[in-house]
Amino acid sequence: MKKIYLGCFLLGTFFANAQTEIDAIMMSKNRFCVGSVYQYSSWDKYWEGTNKRENLNLGKVSTQSIGVMGNYGITDKLNVLFNIPYVITNASAGTMKGQEGIQDLSLTVKYMPFEKKIKNATYSLYALGGYSTPVSNYTVDYLPLSLGLGSQVASFRLMGDYQRGKFFTTVSGAYLFRSNVTIERNTYYTNEMHYTNEVDMPNVININARAGYRSDRLIAEAIVDNWVTQAGGFDITQNNMPFPSNTMNALRLGTNIKYTLKKIPELAFIGGTNYVIDGRNVGQSTSFYGGAFYVINFNKKAK
Amino acid sequence: MKNKIQITISKSLLILLVAFNYACNDDITERNNQFPQLNPTNADELAGTWKPILLTSPDEFPLDAPIATTLPAYTREINEIKSYQANITKDQQAIIDYWSVGGVLRWNEIMRTLVAKHNRPPFQNPDGTYPIPSGANPFANPEFPFSNPPYSARAYAYVSAAQYDAMIAAWHYKKLYNRPAPFVVDATLPVLIPKSSLPSYPCEDAVLAGVTVELLKLLFPTEIAFIQEKAEEEKLYRIISGANVRSDVDAGISLGKKIAAKFIARASTDGAGAAVGNQDLWTLLETQTAATGETPWKSLELPARPPMLPLFGKVKSFLMTPAMVVASRPGPPPSTKSEQFAKELAEIKAFSEDNSKKHQEIVTFWADGVGTYTPPGHWNAIAAEAFVEQNYSEVRWARNMALLNLSMMDAAISCWDAKFFYFNPRPTQMDSSIKTTTGIPNFPAYVSGHSTFSGAACTVLSHILPAKTENFKALAREASDSRMFGAIHYRSDCEKGLILGETVGNFAVARAKIDGAE
């Protein structure tokens, strides 16, 4: 018998991935912004269904990820972004072995079809299309220590931004289509038995709202993020193992800062933190991240 | 220019959206939905003479003679079938599609579902002790049962053995009363499933439902509503499909229930209820092993959990006497102070660090831990998928499943006997740096349960389907190896477990050779 009863950590990495693309900032034409972000995320309590508990056989479950990401301006209004993280998981107690490896490559096309200045305010609209896919054959059915959920995800996001002076608000909503995943078992029980190694993954809606201060040099914002699994998921029952197609919901609060150096305007640093205030079948994780980005200008006559 | 880009982007996004919507709605095909309708190549007409497990004779429990098919009351039963058939709903058609694959198979699947659903260890009390599920109070927290591997091995065995005896009795009475099937009496009656050449009284599906429901009420008391619903479906399926009239079905239920009572009486005195032990026993196990100079097993769970069913080795087997259990017990594991032990521990430490994807796949495939149908359930699934190809009659299905599950119950008894006789530690207890890629079971290591179950199942299935021997051997070997790859068992546990499994499997094979079915 397995004796470890587990929760889920996965949202941490998803959120880290999402940080750079959900902002209302476009890379201008022929500029390539490349950087790296390190994130540390951990929890010692999780929601087993709606029941919040701890698990002495896991202790503190942590996920570290270091991602390489980039954003290229095809035009001022059209950017492509990528992100690829290396992930390390660990449980501080119990006997279960942590995992490490490359997780999912995500690619995003970000398009700004509308931007208009009315008096002191700027209004803009964005459409984002994303695709992510596992790039290593990590074990999916090993929650909460697996590197990811193994699903190919297509996401479609609409985003609106309002800026007045140095203050702004950005609101976006996304629908994430998740492909079936293949697990190593050929039979599994959700709330019924399935005689297949394929798992139907419920889709997800994500709502993200952020507001704060934004100038050329400094962005400081507060973030509310809500991740809601759609129909088809199910809850972890008491003392059971988590499963990739569990209903995983998380309401998260966070802050994010980006600072661009005065003397080297190509170089910017980011940092932030977020915390899950309510969830379902996920760990109550606290995350910290920090990274640096550098902009390379491919315009021959730039400056 | 800009317009063009805009259009291209919108188009690509749309295509992506459509493509993904399609890809994500891709339906999953499940193996058990692909099984064909049961149409036995051999009806096993003489199965009424096969040797039962617990019944003293096939007519130990009497069954009244049916009314004549020439009576108006019988005609009214035919009319019932016709009235159902005049308007078959979608749900009714689904019931026919589901059950016509075979009653023994479907009940076996239902059992696997119940085992998986209830295979969850109790959550600890605030003071760090653990509550014990109680059959007398099944809805309390924790619910009864915790269908762990020994519990489920015994449950599968009781249901399969009782179904087998019930099928023998059914076949006996079919031949005795020789009542023709409704579609023989009334040639105009449409039949929605393959026609059986057997007499129809009593209905074999109803006998199965009758015997199985009663046993499942005992084994999974919180699931009675669900179990009854399934039984009602199975009865309805026989009538709507035109295979049986209601009096065939009613007689079957009544016969099945009587046979179940005999198995239930046995189950209440087989020692399983006392297998959990108590604090005095748990302490004794530790001190008596320590007294030999060996390191006694310790729970690695937090908080420490009492060992799983330490007295399961004393449960009364169907095929082995207590003396045979002791005689089959493997010799002691390598002493924790021996060179051999150090070598085996080092091997497991190496597995725990190898990060092999292939090993991880094997570990996960065979883990069969919390929330699953357990290793015996895994072997039931393997057997069922092999048997489907054979087009067995229901009585042969029941017989083969009974042999398999009796041997795995014996595997559980013999394996637990060895585990609690030697009470030796897991690799991680001896070297806490050994991390595992599956949960560490909460009982001693020697011998491996997976290996014993697999050795027994492989032996019985290879006897039943000799052409697949190599396939079953490879599966058993892989199941056994998976416990080393996962770093939770030593090589001795696995190798000696496979041998023990083969030993107990051979008791079932010996029975198979003389039960009249071969």
Side-chain angles (χ1 to χ4, degrees):
Chain A
M1 297 312 308
K2 287 183 184 172
K3 66 177 187 86
I4 313 281
Y5 326 113
L6 314 165
C8 306
F9 73 97
L10 285 142
L11 296 173
T13 49
F14 287 133
F15 282 90
N17 295 356
Q19 292 296 345
T20 50
E21 69 198 44
I22 306 186
D23 59 18
I25 296 166
M26 299 298 287
M27 200 46 46
S28 49
K29 187 174 178 178
N30 288 344
R31 284 170 188 246
F32 179 54
C33 170
V34 63
S36 183
V37 174
Y38 169 83
Q39 173 168 282
Y40 177 84
S41 178
S42 67
W43 52 263
D44 55 14
K45 289 197 171 60
Y46 67 99
W47 286 274
E48 191 176 64
T50 51
N51 172 42
K52 191 167 158 187
R53 62 168 286 183
E54 60 178 2
N55 192 326
L56 300 175
N57 295 298
L58 290 170
K60 182 186 268 195
V61 173
S62 64
T63 305
Q64 298 178 80
S65 72
I66 181 141
V68 176
M69 47 197 79
N71 181 358
Y72 180 71
I74 296 174
T75 73
D76 289 354
K77 293 184 172 182
L78 179 66
N79 287 187
V80 289
L81 300 87
F82 75 91
N83 178 17
I84 183 164
Y86 187 89
V87 175
I88 301 169
T89 66
N90 183 58
S92 68
T95 71
M96 294 298 284
K97 185 180 169 181
Q99 304 279 300
E100 66 176 276
I102 301 176
Q103 194 211 39
D104 301 341
L105 168 70
S106 63
L107 298 169
T108 307
V109 176
K110 185 173 175 182
Y111 177 58
M112 179 176 68
F114 175 84
E115 185 179 32
K116 189 153 191 178
K117 207 163 180 172
I118 303 171
K119 291 185 182 170
N120 290 334
T122 308
Y123 299 84
S124 53
L125 275 179
Y126 304 78
L128 291 88
Y131 170 72
S132 79
T133 183
V135 281
S136 70
N137 61 347
Y138 59 81
T139 302
V140 172
D141 186 15
Y142 193 73
L143 290 169
L145 296 172
S146 64
L147 298 180
L149 290 179
S151 191
Q152 294 180 53
V153 181
S155 59
F156 300 91
R157 180 181 296 275
L158 280 177
M159 180 162 72
D161 184 74
Y162 165 78
Q163 177 148 11
R164 188 183 174 90
K166 304 280 190 201
F167 294 93
F168 77 98
T169 306
T170 311
V171 177
S172 72
Y175 196 87
L176 287 79
F177 293 92
R178 303 197 294 180
S179 72
N180 296 344
V181 299
T182 303
I183 59 173
E184 280 78 18
R185 288 187 276 163
N186 66 2
T187 307
Y188 58 90
Y189 181 79
T190 54
N191 35 30
E192 57 183 345
M193 214 65 164
H194 297 277
Y195 289 90
T196 170
N197 59 359
E198 271 193 83
V199 179
D200 180 27
M201 296 288 284
N203 294 330
V204 170
I205 286 179
N206 172 247
I207 305 291
N208 184 287
R210 43 222 289 148
Y213 176 89
R214 180 161 69 203
S215 69
D216 290 343
R217 193 118 288 146
L218 178 71
I219 299 169
E221 57 191 338
I223 303 167
V224 182
D225 192 288
N226 198 12
W227 178 275
V228 184
T229 303
Q230 301 301 294
F234 71 104
D235 282 337
I236 310 171
T237 45
Q238 190 176 50
N239 264 1
N240 208 338
M241 308 286 286
F243 194 70
S245 63
N246 283 140
T247 297
M248 297 183 194
N249 295 342
L251 177 61
R252 190 176 285 245
L253 296 181
T255 57
N256 182 50
I257 287 177
K258 182 179 180 188
Y259 181 73
T260 306
L261 296 192
K262 209 170 187 175
K263 286 191 173 167
I264 321 166
E266 293 87 356
L267 186 60
F269 293 98
I270 69 152
T273 176
N274 54 61
Y275 177 66
V276 176
I277 56 168
D278 194 18
R280 185 164 183 157
N281 304 306
V282 296
Q284 183 163 34
S285 56
T286 306
S287 306
F288 302 93
Y289 60 88
F293 287 92
Y294 190 82
V295 177
I296 302 163
N297 190 342
F298 291 106
N299 289 318
K300 280 172 193 165
K301 291 175 188 170
K303 291 184 185 177
Chain B
M1 175 66 191
K2 267 182 187 167
N3 237 339
K4 244 185 177 172
I5 294 175
Q6 281 188 15
I7 291 166
T8 316
I9 295 162
S10 313
K11 271 189 181 167
S12 344
L13 281 176
L14 193 71
I15 289 167
L16 244 160
L17 181 81
V18 170
F20 255 83
N21 206 1
Y22 175 77
C24 295
N25 287 338
D26 212 355
D27 278 341
I28 294 173
T29 314
E30 303 199 14
R31 297 190 303 287
N32 64 330
N33 294 333
Q34 309 300 305
F35 296 155
Q37 284 192 323
L38 184 61
N39 189 10
T41 42
N42 177 352
D44 286 314
E45 280 170 40
L46 300 178
T49 63
W50 292 359
K51 188 181 162 195
I53 309 273
L54 205 56
L55 296 188
T56 50
S57 67
D59 59 355
E60 180 180 343
F61 296 102
L63 182 69
D64 290 343
I67 58 163
T69 55
T70 49
L71 292 174
Y74 186 85
T75 311
R76 288 196 289 274
E77 294 196 1
I78 297 259
N79 289 341
E80 182 188 4
I81 299 175
K82 289 179 176 170
S83 75
Y84 270 119
Q85 289 187 348
N87 181 23
I88 297 176
T89 65
K90 235 174 139 182
D91 286 349
Q92 289 170 340
Q93 187 57 50
I95 288 169
I96 295 172
D97 294 343
Y98 175 83
W99 282 102
S100 59
V101 163
V104 173
L105 169 58
R106 290 308 192 198
W107 280 114
N108 187 266
E109 283 181 359
I110 290 166
M111 264 206 84
R112 281 180 245 149
T113 301
L114 296 177
V115 167
K117 183 175 176 185
H118 292 274
N119 183 6
R120 286 181 285 124
F123 185 71
Q124 64 265 27
N125 295 318
D127 66 356
T129 61
Y130 289 90
I132 296 169
S134 158
N137 193 9
F139 290 94
N141 184 24
E143 271 195 17
F144 177 88
F146 165 24
S147 48
N148 51 46
Y151 184 92
S152 70
R154 171 176 169 273
Y156 290 121
Y158 268 91
V159 170
S160 295
Q163 287 181 340
Y164 170 57
D165 279 11
M167 286 297 93
I168 291 177
W171 254 248
H172 168 80
Y173 286 116
K174 275 176 185 289
K175 191 148 195 247
L176 179 71
Y177 293 125
N178 201 27
R179 182 196 239 186
F183 51 85
V184 175
V185 177
D186 179 349
T188 66
L189 184 73
V191 191
L192 310 179
I193 59 168
K195 288 183 185 177
S196 166
S197 59
L198 291 170
S200 69
Y201 183 93
C203 162
E204 59 267 44
D205 280 81
V207 179
L208 270 177
V211 73
T212 310
V213 164
E214 294 308 305
L215 278 157
L216 291 182
K217 281 183 190 171
L218 174 78
L219 295 163
F220 296 94
T222 63
E223 298 287 350
I224 293 175
F226 168 73
I227 294 160
Q228 287 286 13
E229 194 183 305
K230 287 291 175 190
E232 289 308 316
E233 285 180 5
E234 186 178 18
K235 286 160 64 179
L236 194 62
Y237 136 71
R238 292 304 285 188
I239 292 171
I240 301 178
S241 67
N244 290 96
V245 292
R246 189 164 291 277
S247 54
D248 297 337
V249 170
D250 289 345
I253 294 287
S254 137
L255 179 63
K257 276 187 175 175
K258 290 181 208 162
I259 293 167
K262 187 161 189 185
F263 281 84
I264 289 168
R266 185 194 191 277
S268 59
T269 58
D270 70 359
V276 73
N278 53 40
Q279 186 61 55
D280 290 346
L281 172 79
W282 306 329
T283 309
L284 177 69
L285 287 165
E286 199 175 318
T287 49
Q288 73 188 17
T289 303
T292 67
E294 288 298 326
T295 306
W297 173 84
K298 228 177 55 191
S299 172
L300 296 174
E301 279 194 51
L302 299 169
R305 189 187 287 271
M308 182 186 291
L309 303 182
L311 291 179
F312 197 87
K314 308 273 186 249
V315 168
K316 195 173 144 200
S317 154
F318 282 94
L319 304 177
M320 297 170 82
T321 62
M324 285 156 86
V325 173
V326 173
S328 305
R329 185 188 296 153
S335 163
T336 48
K337 289 167 263 177
S338 69
E339 212 173 291
Q340 174 69 18
F341 180 83
K343 213 181 94 189
E344 293 199 18
L345 188 65
E347 181 185 20
I348 298 314
K349 168 116 181 165
F351 281 132
S352 85
E353 291 171 347
D354 73 2
N355 292 326
S356 154
K357 176 67 183 173
K358 184 72 205 158
H359 286 174
Q360 181 59 48
E361 281 172 7
I362 293 171
V363 170
T364 310
F365 182 82
W366 290 103
D368 297 329
V370 165
T372 73
Y373 49 24
T374 76
H378 199 156
W379 280 102
N380 272 271
I382 290 168
E385 285 171 38
F387 293 169
V388 160
E389 298 166 7
Q390 305 296 321
N391 287 314
Y392 290 140
S393 63
E394 291 283 16
V395 64
R396 193 168 288 275
W397 259 100
R399 178 246 188 198
N400 291 344
M401 280 299 185
L403 290 169
L404 172 70
N405 284 313
L406 290 176
S407 82
M408 287 198 287
M409 176 169 160
D410 285 351
I413 291 169
S414 304
C415 178
W416 256 245
D417 167 77
K419 282 180 185 292
F420 288 92
F421 186 78
Y422 296 115
F423 208 65
N424 72 325
R426 295 272 172 177
T428 302
Q429 184 185 332
M430 298 307 289
D431 177 353
S432 61
S433 73
I434 294 179
K435 292 285 177 182
T436 66
T437 49
T438 188
I440 301 182
N442 195 52
F443 39 81
Y446 186 81
V447 290
S448 144
H450 274 59
S451 307
T452 315
F453 288 125
S454 300
C458 168
T459 302
V460 172
L461 293 177
S462 299
H463 174 77
I464 294 169
L465 296 172
K468 291 196 168 223
T469 301
E470 288 312 311
N471 178 30
F472 294 134
K473 274 190 176 161
L475 289 173
R477 165 64 61 188
E478 193 180 87
S480 174
D481 286 347
S482 77
R483 310 309 270 175
M484 286 191 274
F485 299 157
I488 62 169
H489 269 293
Y490 314 97
R491 185 168 290 277
S492 291
D493 303 340
C494 296
E495 289 179 353
K496 294 287 164 51
L498 277 175
I499 295 170
L500 177 60
E502 193 181 333
T503 305
V504 302
N506 276 321
F507 293 121
V509 170
R511 190 184 199 284
K513 288 176 178 165
I514 55 150
D515 67 4
E518 294 186 356

